[in-house]
Amino acid sequence: MTGRVSPVGAGAGAVGAQLAPRARLFPSLAAVYRAQLSRARVARIPLLFVATFQSIGIMILMRGVVDGGAEAQAVVAGSSVLVVAFVALNLLAQYFGQLRASGGLDHYATLPVPPAAVVLGAAGAYASFTVPGTIVTAVTGSVLFQLPMTHLWVLVAVIPLSGAALSGLGAALGLLAPRQELATLLGQLGMSAALLLGVLPANRMPAPIGWARDLLPSTYGVEALSRSFGARPDWAVIALDLGVCAVVGVLSLAVATWAYRRAAVR
């Protein structure tokens, strides 16, 4: 294969047109990421304020119930990751559900980009969009509950890993839901689960609900951030929590990519 084609009937010395190279994953991913980030920045800024205000409001309400210690750490960590859940899970489920219902997937299917680039680019853009709100929530909660901010740099790992896990879940829900309304409902239910299972202290939950909490992808990001508020954090356990979050993120994004292929060919 020389990568050239010649028109029918052309002479032997005619030179055919050069075939376009196959689109590679990372350049395609970067292009989709920039396009989605630009779109999200215009359309989602008001919702980011809502997500941040909601999380801060929850912490203020919990301030009257929780005084400090491990419970305060759980409230601040859960409220911070809730911003990620609101944008990366809830809004992304709605976005892909709307995209599928309106036929927008047909547009992406005609582009010479791998399916993984579309899913990863959109997921990365929505996860990146949560960074300011998550940081503001974590700092506000630390001040409100008088928690140390020495190790808040853990957010550098918590935000992308939790964002990957929740974005993959949100994209999969939006792509697999048979109707747009159901995708919206599933996104709302997922965010509600992140609220109830992530913000409330684990030691106050019944055992069955605790098991459900262990199945929620954002739980491990919440645990890692919560443990970082301790005077002497156990970094091995924090690394394990982040590792689990990373594995769940890879699996959820793989499922979302499969769901995109499935939806795009229908």
Side-chain angles (χ1 to χ4, degrees):
M1 295 291 294
T2 61
R4 298 178 181 275
V5 292
S6 298
V8 178
V15 178
Q18 180 72 38
L19 291 177
R22 183 179 179 181
R24 292 176 296 174
L25 175 61
F26 290 107
S28 302
L29 172 60
V32 174
Y33 174 82
R34 289 194 299 268
Q36 289 291 337
L37 190 63
S38 176
R39 177 186 182 278
R41 186 168 54 244
V42 174
R44 304 303 183 186
I45 283 181
L47 294 175
L48 177 61
F49 279 112
V50 171
T52 306
F53 181 78
Q54 170 185 261
S55 294
I56 293 176
I58 290 172
M59 290 190 298
I60 293 174
L61 291 175
M62 293 297 293
R63 185 67 180 86
V65 180
V66 176
D67 293 328
E71 293 183 346
Q73 296 170 8
V75 169
V76 175
S79 299
S80 300
V81 177
L82 181 61
V83 179
V84 182
F86 183 88
V87 177
L89 194 163
N90 183 27
L91 296 185
L92 197 58
Q94 294 182 35
Y95 170 70
F96 272 109
Q98 179 184 10
L99 201 65
R100 182 181 179 185
S102 64
L105 289 181
D106 296 337
H107 166 70
Y108 281 105
T110 61
L111 298 178
V113 296
V118 177
V119 174
L120 294 176
Y126 275 72
S128 300
F129 195 60
T130 67
V131 173
T134 305
I135 294 175
V136 169
T137 302
V139 172
T140 303
S142 299
V143 173
L144 187 64
F145 288 92
Q146 298 179 350
L147 298 177
M149 291 186 280
T150 307
H151 301 124
L152 276 185
W153 55 265
V154 173
L155 288 171
V156 173
V158 170
I159 293 176
L161 294 179
S162 298
L166 293 171
S167 294
L169 178 59
L173 291 176
L175 290 166
L176 293 175
R179 297 178 59 186
Q180 179 181 351
E181 295 80 6
L182 185 56
T184 300
L185 174 62
L186 292 174
Q188 291 283 355
L189 290 176
M191 190 197 68
S192 298
L195 167 60
L196 296 175
L197 302 179
V199 175
L200 297 178
N203 58 2
R204 296 192 179 188
M205 297 181 182
I209 298 181
W211 299 336
R213 183 176 184 270
D214 293 338
L215 297 176
L216 190 67
S218 59
T219 296
Y220 302 96
V222 172
E223 290 292 333
L225 181 58
S226 177
R227 289 190 172 97
S228 71
F229 288 118
R232 294 183 178 179
D234 190 338
W235 295 110
V237 178
I238 292 175
L240 179 61
D241 287 329
L242 293 175
V244 173
C245 200
V247 171
V248 174
V250 171
L251 293 177
S252 66
L253 289 171
V255 172
T257 302
W258 169 81
Y260 171 81
R261 293 177 184 272
R262 178 176 177 272
V265 298
R266 289 193 172 188

